[in-house]
Amino acid sequence: MFSIGELSRRTNVKVPTIRYYEESGLLDAPERTEGNQRRYDAAGLERLSFIKHARDLGFSIEAIAALIELQGHPDRSCAEANDIATAQLSDVRAKIKRLRALEKELVRISNGCDGGGVTEDCYVLASLSDHGLCERDH
Amino acid sequence: MFSIGELSRRTNVKVPTIRYYEESGLLDAPERTEGNQRRYDAAGLERLSFIKHARDLGFSIEAIAALIELQGHPDRSCAEANDIATAQLSDVRAKIKRLRALEKELVRISNGCDGGGVTEDCYVLASLSDHGLCERDH
DNA sequence: TCTTGAACCTCTAGTCACTAGAGATCGTAT
DNA sequence: ATACGATCTCTAGTGACTAGAGGTTCAAGA
Ligand SMILES: [Zn+2]
Ligand SMILES: [Zn+2]
Ligand SMILES: [Zn+2]
Ligand SMILES: [Zn+2]
């Protein structure tokens, strides 16, 4: 049995975030001391580690809630778990694609200016004013 | 002189977003009709196009405010504009780097499961429970 | 000129995943 | 017994919008 601060230290999840996860329904409400302080056990630690890992991989709170629900029914098909992971992968890939396009334009934009001029002639400001200078859409 | 709806159509920025930009200080408060409706001119359109383009490239409202401020002083050094663009580029690159690491793990995770099993044996759920299965940190 | 109805106005609240702070209580070590 | 860090609840703030309520104005057709 350990305190919320101890749980925080062991998982690298901040105390207010742990309380937020409880409020959001991701963590079960733990036992309390007589003085109303939370006391966690190994199951609580394991659950929070799962959540932390999923968050680190970019899953939303909603997706994590669904995954936890599935975990609670060991005999159910894992098709939905696979769907959630696949959706997360597509999401990440879409973000990468967009960011790579932005990266290209930003390289062009910042290469066009050495910071030694005057704002009136600045290629950064000109580029932002005129999307026609861009090589592609974003 | 045109209405906020017309400005919205010409820039592909939604009406409430335009009002939000005004409230945030990115857009000057425009003239009003006798009935209190906003009326924009070419300068307003140009300004909003600038903001839209910068937002599309991922610049924050705060960064855009700084860029607009610089634009208003044509004889000032453009070093700061260059700094802002360079910072934005680093930011985008950092995001790409993180997302690529996530992508790798997610490929492994979703390849490890065909959705045909049972949650108890699901590689997706096992991977989320155990960061030790990951090839790197995130 | 009158009427209709789309567009406009302000204001509040909701989104996501936290983060910060106030003010009060608890637990533990000396 | 006292001190003091940790914990409690509650509210509000973040960024960049989005949604909705309830009311007013504009412009076009009859
Ligand atoms: Zn420059
Ligand atoms: Zn562009
Ligand atoms: Zn599976
Ligand atoms: Zn991992």
Side-chain angles (χ1 to χ4, degrees):
Chain A
M1 287 309 222
F2 38 89
S3 71
I4 196 167
E6 180 64 21
L7 182 62
S8 169
R9 249 165 275 129
R10 293 201 204 179
T11 55
N12 281 316
V13 176
K14 287 176 190 155
V15 168
T17 305
I18 297 173
R19 291 198 274 250
Y20 169 73
Y21 288 160
E22 180 183 330
E23 204 191 34
S24 311
L26 291 190
L27 284 176
D28 296 333
E31 285 181 46
R32 300 273 182 146
T33 61
E34 275 189 38
N36 199 36
Q37 299 194 357
R38 292 168 177 81
R39 285 298 176 268
Y40 295 90
D41 58 12
L45 174 62
E46 203 175 317
R47 168 69 67 85
L48 183 55
S49 304
F50 180 94
I51 295 166
K52 171 73 155 69
H53 195 210
R55 285 294 301 132
D56 285 348
L57 287 164
F59 288 88
S60 70
I61 298 286
E62 196 187 351
I64 296 170
L67 290 166
I68 287 172
E69 166 72 10
L70 288 169
Q71 233 182 1
H73 301 271
D75 51 343
R76 279 231 292 261
S77 156
C78 76
E80 200 190 327
N82 189 52
D83 287 351
I84 290 172
T86 305
Q88 176 60 16
L89 176 56
S90 321
D91 201 69
V92 165
R93 284 182 165 154
K95 281 184 175 135
I96 290 173
K97 196 175 167 190
R98 168 153 188 272
L99 288 171
R100 278 221 272 252
L102 297 196
E103 186 193 11
K104 279 203 187 96
E105 299 299 346
L106 288 167
V107 164
R108 175 185 55 79
I109 288 170
S110 67
N111 280 350
C113 163
D114 63 359
V118 129
T119 63
E120 190 164 27
D121 314 318
C122 182
Y123 187 71
V124 170
L125 293 171
S127 295
L128 291 173
S129 298
D130 182 9
H131 174 53
L133 295 171
C134 288
E135 275 149 35
R136 52 189 78 213
D137 270 9
H138 4 253
Chain B
M1 287 308 222
F2 39 89
S3 70
I4 197 168
E6 180 63 21
L7 182 62
S8 169
R9 249 165 275 127
R10 293 202 204 178
T11 55
N12 280 317
V13 176
K14 287 177 190 155
V15 168
T17 305
I18 297 173
R19 290 198 273 249
Y20 169 72
Y21 288 159
E22 180 183 330
E23 204 190 34
S24 310
L26 291 190
L27 284 176
D28 296 333
E31 285 180 46
R32 300 273 184 146
T33 62
E34 272 191 40
N36 199 36
Q37 298 194 358
R38 291 168 179 83
R39 285 298 175 268
Y40 295 90
D41 57 12
L45 173 62
E46 204 174 317
R47 168 71 66 86
L48 182 55
S49 304
F50 180 94
I51 296 167
K52 170 74 156 66
H53 196 209
R55 286 293 302 133
D56 285 348
L57 287 165
F59 289 88
S60 70
I61 297 286
E62 197 187 349
I64 296 171
L67 290 166
I68 287 172
E69 165 72 10
L70 287 170
Q71 234 182 2
H73 301 272
D75 51 342
R76 279 232 292 260
S77 155
C78 77
E80 200 190 328
N82 189 51
D83 287 350
I84 291 171
T86 305
Q88 176 61 17
L89 176 56
S90 321
D91 200 71
V92 165
R93 282 181 165 156
K95 281 184 176 138
I96 289 173
K97 196 175 168 190
R98 169 153 188 271
L99 288 171
R100 277 222 273 253
L102 297 195
E103 186 194 11
K104 279 202 185 98
E105 298 300 347
L106 288 166
V107 164
R108 174 184 57 78
I109 289 170
S110 66
N111 280 350
C113 163
D114 62 0
V118 126
T119 63
E120 191 163 27
D121 314 316
C122 181
Y123 187 72
V124 170
L125 293 170
S127 296
L128 291 173
S129 297
D130 182 9
H131 174 55
L133 296 171
C134 288
E135 276 149 36
R136 52 188 77 213
D137 270 10
H138 3 254

